[in-house]
Amino acid sequence: MAMPERNVVEAINNALTEEMERDPRVMLLGLDVGRLGGVFRTTSGLIEKYGASRVVDTPLAEASIIGASLGLAVSGMVPVAEIQFLGFTAQAFHQIGPQLGKYRHRSRGRYHAQVTIRAPFGGGIRSPEFHSDAVEAQFVQSPGIKVVMPSNPYDAKGMLLEAIRDPDPVLFCEPDRLYRLYRMEVPDGDYTVPFGKAVVAREGKDVTLVAWSAAVELCQRAAAKLAEEDIEASIVDLRTLVPLDVETLVNAVAATGRCVIVHEAPLSAGFGAEVAATLAEEAFYDLDAPIARVASWDIPFPPASMEHWYLPSVDRVVEAAKRTAAA
Amino acid sequence: MAMPERNVVEAINNALTEEMERDPRVMLLGLDVGRLGGVFRTTSGLIEKYGASRVVDTPLAEASIIGASLGLAVSGMVPVAEIQFLGFTAQAFHQIGPQLGKYRHRSRGRYHAQVTIRAPFGGGIRSPEFHSDAVEAQFVQSPGIKVVMPSNPYDAKGMLLEAIRDPDPVLFCEPDRLYRLYRMEVPDGDYTVPFGKAVVAREGKDVTLVAWSAAVELCQRAAAKLAEEDIEASIVDLRTLVPLDVETLVNAVAATGRCVIVHEAPLSAGFGAEVAATLAEEAFYDLDAPIARVASWDIPFPPASMEHWYLPSVDRVVEAAKRTAAA
Amino acid sequence: MAIMAETRLMTLQPDGKLLKGARPSMDEEFLLDALRWMLLSRLYDEKVIGLQRQGRFGVYSPGLGQEASIVGSSMALDPERDWIVPQYRELMAIVRHGYPLEKITATYMGKTTEATRIPEGVNVLPTQVALAAQLPQAVGLAWGLKLQGKDAVVMAYIGDGGSSEGDFHEALNLAGVQKVPIVFFMQNNQWAISTPRSLQSATPSFSLRAAGYGFPGVEVDGNDIFAVYQAAVEAVRRARAGDGPTLIESVTYRMGFHNTTDNPSRYEDKEQRADFERRDPIDRVVRYLRSLGLLDEQREDNLRAEVSAEVDRVIEAAAAEPGVRPDGMFDNVYERPPARVLKQREQFRGSNGNA
Amino acid sequence: MAIMAETRLMTLQPDGKLLKGARPSMDEEFLLDALRWMLLSRLYDEKVIGLQRQGRFGVYSPGLGQEASIVGSSMALDPERDWIVPQYRELMAIVRHGYPLEKITATYMGKTTEATRIPEGVNVLPTQVALAAQLPQAVGLAWGLKLQGKDAVVMAYIGDGGSSEGDFHEALNLAGVQKVPIVFFMQNNQWAISTPRSLQSATPSFSLRAAGYGFPGVEVDGNDIFAVYQAAVEAVRRARAGDGPTLIESVTYRMGFHNTTDNPSRYEDKEQRADFERRDPIDRVVRYLRSLGLLDEQREDNLRAEVSAEVDRVIEAAAAEPGVRPDGMFDNVYERPPARVLKQREQFRGSNGNA
Ligand SMILES: Cc1ncc(C[n+]2csc(CCOP(=O)(O)OP(=O)(O)O)c2C)c(N)n1
Ligand SMILES: Cc1ncc(C[n+]2csc(CCOP(=O)(O)OP(=O)(O)O)c2C)c(N)n1
Ligand SMILES: [Mg+2]
Ligand SMILES: [Mg+2]
């Protein structure tokens, strides 16, 4: 029998369904996650299956969604909260890093905060203001929160299951541009993808591209184009920013001596900076060329009609990779 | 006549007094800035001079302090908002980066947001939870906001005046550990310290320490100790993170070929990462050793009785500098 | 102490008859003007939804069904001195206040140049996507205008959904303390995307919240232009007199979808919808004007044709506006941009061949 | 519709006499127990302020003057099944609920080991420094207990200052919608550091806010232990019966400083203070008990001596607790720590010579 194929939306929906079936403590809460099934339909069908007390359309108030999730976790539930778009984590910012991330520490281990925050993000789908903002790095500065960035349907399911079961709080960022871009084999039933294990998504000897989330797909396209010019790029998909898999990263970059980091967030203080800094310390002697970063510009996300000029593009990745490979 | 000497609190108070005198549009708002004169007394005496409509004790609600400041700026006032401790910018996070930072852009230039946010921060004074958190890097990911980190009384006055007059919004972070540590010459009357101009605070040929805010003072102590062992460290005080003075930074690091970055924020995704990444791209060929970072650990700020183990220390800076100089 | 939430204000009944003993709050000429604005709102909505389906228009949230609420509130303002701080579903309010519809339309058509921005002298802030974030800003604006002795009132819009955000609370509380000249106008259209009013709050009336901030709250039939206008005029008067803020809850119904990406059939209650359809704000005025002999089929058709032609003209004009300039995205971020941003712009210009 | 804010509830007058027609809400034994707790609160405060001045105690916010409010509210709870979610000025409430005073004292003395944490089985959350952040958390806790069919009520504390935060609004609104078993107990002690009640909100009573969330609000004389207890018992009863949340505004006065770094003489109103001094919550009970012949000077002195000895014992025990373990700061951050954090701990251990 052929393995079922799923896109990211279906993979997430499948993971949530199976986990709610398996563990009665799991509940979903957020804006429009119930009757509507989420603005992207990731929670479609769940309220029908598990009822309005386990799939909860909350009032429009992000801080309370996260704060309540923390309290629900303390009570013994396992909440999966949805923030409708990652940009609106700003409204809940004080409940995420300082509270959720520190709760175990603040209670000296008495309480933990087994909460998963799901949030779509990223450009390329012509969303309104704030909806596309790639602010993942802001949460890396909040110790206690794991930051998880799946780049494909298989990882989306396996990492979401891992996130829900992780006793530590997890921010699970969903690449909305990839939601329905393609399907791949995603098995029914239980499996998890562990955190802190980056993967080499493509082998190549000339230059190493480092990315996460939708930028991995961008790098794949760039690598295909580079291959036409006989430049073989390897691609490291970090998968999780916290925990960071320094070993895989350092080895993959050391192998080519050349590194281009690609992300959707603006350049300055994006997580690419942490990647570069880590390499500049831990892979220093293996580097043969300056570390390049291809990112969005240090300006606000522009209106939809301009987003393709703002986001990192295949051309920009190719150009940086060629420059780096030749340096 | 001798020039007056001031500590950081006095320098800030002096800057605010002179600017309120000079420009009737300038007003202060925040928690306890009026009758109490601020929890650190930086605004002492101002309500008596300028009245309760220009020095406003607000309700306890950080998001409204910033949101209202934006509206006040649109109306033609020049607000200087105080967030009682930088950690509580989290409560106002959605009003800072996404709103204040983007308002000019969102209105396509019709409105600007000439707002200064003052906020004390930093460890070493045994404050309660959240009060010491060094979260400056989170705002670097918010294009539109300038991030200003004075390290001494002279700069504190000059950069605060520059901040208030800058038509762009500025986050002005005050190193509370230095507030009353020492006095230096701070002239009466008008002067400004421009943004985007780092300064070499100490010359040295063996290794370059890069820091900002209170960490500069730490580096001075470390450099003195290093000098005893015949290692001459130069110190770059970045002064502002946005704008970043890449030129001074790159030149100073190129001069020694060795760099240690020191900051109070936790290591991962701290602004030190951006500094290292910038150097790994723009000073790559001048680097002779891995770039080291000395920062707080990737854990929540601990209780007061443990903070000296958590924060970067002279010993840790010395150790990293020796290792880097010898590499 | 006893705090009374005023009973829901209503003047004009769904059948177009005045409530017994009620007096219309607008004279006939003004009412005809209001009707014209309401029709413009509705016909524009209908037209641009079509354009959106053709891919010529951005994501759009129509005001369908809320025309009395949108138009009636804004007509209480003086565009010369008062200000509007919108959420995003009050299009004709800001147009009536002076922001040219062509410019807004051009923006929705992807033309985000400075030519389409809010013109100097038009007292309107940008629409707000981050719900409720506009409210503390509106309070600051009203506060600043008061400090500068300006005779101005700010009207700030918010939805039933947005009213659950912390910013709502912080803003209203600050407004009460500083007694600023502001009217908080809440369009309770029963929905926040798919989330019904009943899941948004357990309060029997949002207007009750005002007492918690020390100023009056009033609930009005938001599909009754007379009631909306009357409440707004009274609130503006109070604000202008220095008596501080008012919260108006305008009870209406979102007859369209949340926005052009939404499909309400997944969640909408058919009966509730049918009930509000009977309470259509435009029909109500038309019936009233007909009963007075001030409108007949012919005049109504003419009016609709006129308004429809205006919509066409606006869309044509907007379509003819110059498109975006790629490096325009670097404009207006800073007045004094960091060197790194300038360098990035150069880099972008270099690779995109446009300067 | 008319929403009535109950008139401020009061039973025991400042002179120690019952209000005409009022009945005490506690029997005599229970009242003596309450007095004991109030005295413990006051004597502890006085003692540790002294310790703090000697540098032996951390930054501390005393409950001076608020003892009836703190003790009376918590005595309505059953520690076996109910939960307390504190802000930070309710020390004896959480002690009465089961969190040993020795452990709390040791924490203030810098001993932040796991031995000092809230013991398993004690239904108390950590004190909250980020004001109002505890409220959405408390709502989630109550919600989860309800979902799991537990017969538990959550009492969440908040100050007049903290009530201005957006989290206050979001939490109360969510609590109303989900009808969770919670009591929001606000200690309106007239100050948020130096900011007076009058600048915190223009509302005539914070209890009025409850109507905006669809549940009852009540204002009580927070220096009257009978009134506080009565309101709390009734609110707990409602919550336990499934009738949802209540907001209690306990009107009291912060007789001490904000915390040990504060100096109220810069801002305090002498008259207001004097007025509240006359309304001291402990004096009131003492007068009442004396009038009933249940307390005389001798018994009172004995009680004070007993309580004072207990405070000494607690402080001694706390001082004897083991100190911090430096690398303990790495504990309890994650259950499954990232490799980088483990590496940092090794690095730290290496340089600090303690493992
Ligand atoms: C802070 C924030 N959270 C979520 C969203 C996504 N969102 C956009 S509109 C909307 C519903 C708004 O409802 P309401 O305030 O009632 O306004 P209406 O659309 O009914 O006019 C939501 C949830 C947003 N724009 N901002
Ligand atoms: C979010 C946040 N902002 C500011 C502070 C600083 N702060 C600590 S206590 C306090 C006043 C609190 O007043 P209130 O809530 O009335 O409690 P009280 O101290 O009177 O018991 C302030 C402003 C804080 N701890 N948290
Ligand atoms: Mg709505
Ligand atoms: Mg208080």
Side-chain angles (χ1 to χ4, degrees), chain B residues 249-270:
Chain B
L249 171 67
V250 164
N251 289 342
V253 171
T256 66
R258 291 154 202 281
C259 178
V260 177
I261 303 159
V262 183
H263 62 68
E264 280 199 21
L267 181 81
S268 290

Side-chain angles (χ1 to χ4, degrees), chain C residues 262-275:
Chain C
D262 178 41
N263 175 10
S265 72
R266 286 179 77 106
Y267 55 79
E268 200 177 22
D269 182 307
K270 301 277 167 302
E271 263 180 53
Q272 187 187 30
R273 189 193 164 80
D275 181 43

Side-chain angles (χ1 to χ4, degrees), chain C residues 99-119:
Chain C
Y99 191 2
L101 187 54
E102 294 83 351
K103 289 186 186 287
I104 300 173
T105 305
T107 309
Y108 275 113
M109 296 174 93
K111 295 160 183 212
T112 49
T113 63
E114 277 175 33
T116 63
R117 79 178 174 197
I118 302 163

Side-chain angles (χ1 to χ4, degrees), chain C residues 52-160:
Chain C
Q52 201 278 340
R53 300 301 182 221
Q54 301 161 32
R56 293 180 58 204
F57 210 81
V59 174
Y60 180 73
S61 289
L64 291 169
Q66 303 176 217
E67 293 89 352
S69 183
I70 295 166
V71 170
S73 53
S74 69
M75 287 183 81
L77 298 173
D78 175 359
E80 295 294 316
R81 52 184 172 160
D82 297 330
W83 286 74
I84 286 187
V85 180
Q87 188 162 280
Y88 51 73
R89 206 185 291 281
E90 304 81 20
L91 184 65
M92 287 310 152
I94 59 179
V95 173
R96 193 257 171 199
H97 212 71
Y99 191 2
L101 187 54
E102 294 83 351
K103 289 186 186 287
I104 300 173
T105 305
T107 309
Y108 275 113
M109 296 174 93
K111 295 160 183 212
T112 49
T113 63
E114 277 175 33
T116 63
R117 79 178 174 197
I118 302 163
E120 207 59 49
V122 172
N123 299 334
V124 170
L125 297 198
T127 54
Q128 182 59 267
V129 169
L131 293 160
Q134 73 276 19
L135 296 185
Q137 298 163 6
V139 173
L141 174 60
W143 186 1
L145 294 167
K146 176 181 166 181
L147 284 172
Q148 290 162 77
K150 297 206 177 134
D151 180 29
V153 173
V154 174
M155 185 167 289
Y157 289 89
I158 180 75
D160 48 324

Side-chain angles (χ1 to χ4, degrees), chain A residues 31-32 60 62 84 88 91 131, chain C residues 87-89 129-131 159-162 165 189 191-193 258:
Chain A
L31 307 181
D32 307 296
L60 209 171
E62 287 81 5
Q84 204 158 57
F88 299 127
Q91 268 73 4
H131 289 60
Chain C
Q87 188 162 280
Y88 51 73
R89 206 185 291 281
V129 169
L131 293 160
D160 48 324
E165 290 281 357
N189 66 0
W191 295 103
I193 308 186
H258 168 64

Side-chain angles (χ1 to χ4, degrees), chain D residues 66 87 89 159-162 187-193 254:
Chain D
Q66 302 177 216
Q87 188 161 282
R89 206 185 293 279
D160 49 321
Q187 295 205 71
N188 172 3
N189 65 0
Q190 314 303 325
W191 295 103
I193 309 186
R254 194 193 75 201

Side-chain angles (χ1 to χ4, degrees), chain A residues 29-44:
Chain A
L29 65 164
L31 307 181
D32 307 296
V33 298
R35 287 275 279 289
L36 185 64
V39 288
F40 289 106
R41 308 293 182 267
T42 43
T43 56
S44 198

